[in-house]
Amino acid sequence: MGTHTDISQDTWDDAQLLWNYHQLHHTIRPCSVIIGLGSHDLGVATHSARLYLERLASVIVFSGANSPTTLKRFPRGEAVHYAEHAVSLGVPRAAILLETHATNTAENFQLSREVLQVAGTSVTSILLVSKPYEQRRSFATALKTWPDVDVVCASEPVTLSEYVERIGSVKTVVDMLVGTLQRLVEYPKKGFIIDQEVPAEAIDAYERLRGSGFDSRVIRPTL
């Protein structure tokens, strides 16, 4: 499945609904620091660099070790490759701090906070850069793990169609949308994130997509 024409219009509409819900549409403003969350998507580094060059913060923290999905793409670690990419776009290396050990989103914030403390950087607000469909979950995680700062969310401004084209698989992208929605429902129960209001239409779209086989990123119950 390479493009959205590989799925039905109803399925695409459900995916678009989740894509829209996962984004928070915050008004971007200057913050103490930009934190770019490591992942498979180099667009996070690109957008972090753009925000820095627009003088929305004076320091960037790139956070992330590796996951099974990024080890081959970023063999020296997500944060390291992100930093190299940002430097290639004009960000001074001295403006970048690296956090190279986080393997989940909570650790991204916990360990980035420690890196900033060691660097002597005072933080009252975070310009948080994530993949577009991870905005809401990243925001909810940040407020749980670092509740005493203001968080403004940002992502590379791409449409769902453009993102599918970049990834090269509509199934992969829709699977990620479904998995992220499930986590927004389940993770507050585990204390990982704060509660987010999930509208009934998003739950319905999630159920339809999951029932149609878009479920590779769904968390399975452990026996």
Side-chain angles (χ1 to χ4, degrees):
M1 292 189 189
T3 69
H4 77 266
T5 57
D6 295 320
I7 60 176
S8 72
Q9 186 61 49
D10 286 345
T11 298
W12 180 256
D13 289 345
D14 281 340
Q16 185 70 64
L17 191 154
L18 293 190
W19 176 265
N20 294 341
Y21 169 70
H22 286 315
Q23 296 183 60
L24 295 169
H25 307 291
H26 284 172
T27 299
I28 304 306
R29 58 178 175 81
C31 291
S32 307
V33 61
I34 295 165
I35 296 182
L37 299 182
S39 71
H40 61 82
D41 186 355
L42 204 57
V44 174
T46 300
H47 198 56
S48 297
R50 182 178 299 129
L51 296 173
Y52 173 88
L53 294 170
E54 291 174 359
R55 301 185 178 181
L56 288 163
S58 59
V59 63
I60 302 175
V61 177
F62 286 125
S63 173
N66 273 121
S67 70
T69 59
T70 64
L71 187 57
K72 207 174 266 192
R73 179 168 170 76
F74 301 132
R76 285 170 288 115
E78 297 157 4
V80 172
H81 285 268
Y82 273 25
E84 291 172 351
H85 184 63
V87 169
S88 77
L89 296 174
V91 178
R93 181 60 185 85
I96 300 172
L97 299 174
L98 293 183
E99 185 294 296
T100 60
H101 300 289
T103 57
N104 60 55
T105 311
E107 288 182 354
N108 285 138
F109 297 114
Q110 292 161 353
L111 299 178
S112 292
R113 187 175 192 172
E114 292 176 9
V115 166
L116 287 158
Q117 287 172 340
V118 170
T121 304
S122 176
V123 178
T124 59
S125 56
I126 297 169
L127 187 46
L128 176 57
V129 185
S130 68
K131 294 169 289 190
Y133 63 88
E134 287 285 5
Q135 272 195 28
R136 186 177 294 273
R137 188 174 74 84
S138 300
F139 177 75
T141 308
L143 294 190
K144 184 70 177 183
T145 57
W146 201 343
D148 55 341
V149 296
D150 292 327
V151 180
V152 179
C153 290
S155 296
E156 198 173 20
V158 294
T159 65
L160 176 56
S161 293
E162 289 167 342
Y163 202 79
V164 166
E165 186 175 350
R166 176 189 299 175
I167 298 301
S169 166
V170 68
K171 185 177 190 313
T172 296
V173 174
V174 178
D175 281 354
M176 292 188 288
L177 296 174
V178 169
T180 301
L181 194 286
Q182 183 200 33
R183 285 158 177 78
L184 283 168
V185 173
E186 297 298 328
Y187 277 7
K189 303 171 190 175
K190 300 175 181 293
F192 296 164
I193 66 175
I194 66 165
D195 280 302
Q196 294 284 285
E197 181 180 350
V198 185
E201 61 181 5
I203 294 292
D204 291 344
Y206 159 80
E207 294 288 358
R208 287 190 293 267
L209 291 168
R210 182 174 177 176
S212 297
F214 294 95
D215 60 358
S216 74
R217 301 302 177 98
V218 166
I219 304 167
R220 312 290 179 181
T222 54
L223 301 178

